[in-house]
Amino acid sequence: MQASPRVLSMIDGIIEREGGFSDHPNDPGGATMYGITESVARVNGYHGDMRAMPREFAASVYLTQYFIGPKFNLVADQSPVIADELTDTGVNMGVVKAGEFLQTALNAFNLNGMFYRDLLVDGHVGNMTVAALRSFLEKRGAEGEGVLLKALNCLQCAEYLRLAKAKPEKFETFVYGWIKERIG
């Protein structure tokens, strides 16, 4: 699939935030280049030294595994900004967790089923999740999109803090930066 300039720009932003090579002993992802862990690189066909991984390879992985694969491209048809947030969250926490955050927020915002029925919170974005998002945005407009974005960020930050509390020896090293980079 050929990505639009907007999607390529979003992926470029993720690569910039993630930075170059890292292999911090507390990072459960291990050796990472442009935010792509060695295990993800290997599964996607890269077998060279992580320090030498081409940026274009990382961009291709982001497009296929973190945008198209989890169907965030369908979300982008409704709200590019929400799709960007889901993709970024998927890179950091997994695409299923990002999908769960979207479904959780949409369920909280449906006014007890007035806008749409509650979604199964399984993290898999499909037709029902996209339809609920469309309905939410039709009812709430640009303001609703902004509130949904804030809710997704709140859920992400709460998860970072939960991780830091559960394993401070691993995650307290990173939690401040994670939140600073994502929330601004």
Side-chain angles (χ1 to χ4, degrees):
M1 172 184 175
Q2 187 70 357
S4 72
R6 189 202 58 75
V7 171
L8 293 175
S9 176
M10 180 259 309
I11 290 171
D12 229 25
I14 291 171
I15 289 173
E16 287 300 314
R17 278 190 302 282
E18 292 295 329
F21 181 77
S22 173
D23 194 8
H24 193 285
N26 288 351
D27 187 346
T32 303
M33 183 66 169
Y34 303 124
I36 303 294
T37 64
E38 187 169 11
S39 62
V40 169
R42 302 297 183 240
V43 165
N44 284 278
Y46 180 75
H47 299 290
D49 183 322
M50 287 300 289
R51 287 176 186 85
M53 187 176 77
R55 185 181 176 108
E56 296 76 28
F57 179 83
S60 173
V61 170
Y62 283 131
L63 178 65
T64 58
Q65 190 163 329
Y66 295 95
F67 186 70
I68 297 170
K71 300 183 181 174
F72 297 158
N73 57 318
L74 301 179
V75 171
D77 292 340
Q78 304 303 312
S79 172
V81 69
I82 297 300
D84 291 358
E85 177 63 25
L86 295 175
T87 303
D88 185 68
T89 301
V91 168
N92 289 280
M93 298 186 158
V95 295
V96 171
K97 182 64 76 177
E100 288 174 357
F101 289 167
L102 176 63
Q103 292 162 338
T104 296
L106 286 170
N107 282 350
F109 294 151
N110 74 359
L111 288 181
N112 297 312
M114 278 183 40
F115 291 168
Y116 43 85
R117 292 190 319 199
D118 272 348
L119 299 164
L120 172 66
V121 179
D122 64 0
H124 299 285
V125 173
N127 293 336
M128 292 183 72
T129 301
V130 172
L133 175 61
R134 181 181 315 109
S135 180
F136 172 76
L137 293 172
E138 286 170 0
K139 299 287 186 192
R140 296 291 190 180
E143 178 184 85
E145 183 180 51
V147 171
L148 179 58
L149 182 61
K150 287 177 183 178
L152 294 172
N153 280 316
C154 288
L155 289 165
Q156 186 175 11
C157 287
E159 182 66 8
Y160 286 143
L161 293 170
R162 187 197 66 75
L163 288 171
K165 181 180 178 186
K167 292 188 178 179
E169 68 285 355
K170 286 269 189 206
F171 297 115
E172 280 191 10
T173 302
F174 306 110
V175 71
Y176 179 87
W178 287 339
I179 292 173
K180 179 180 75 109
E181 285 298 317
R182 282 0 172 254
I183 306 304

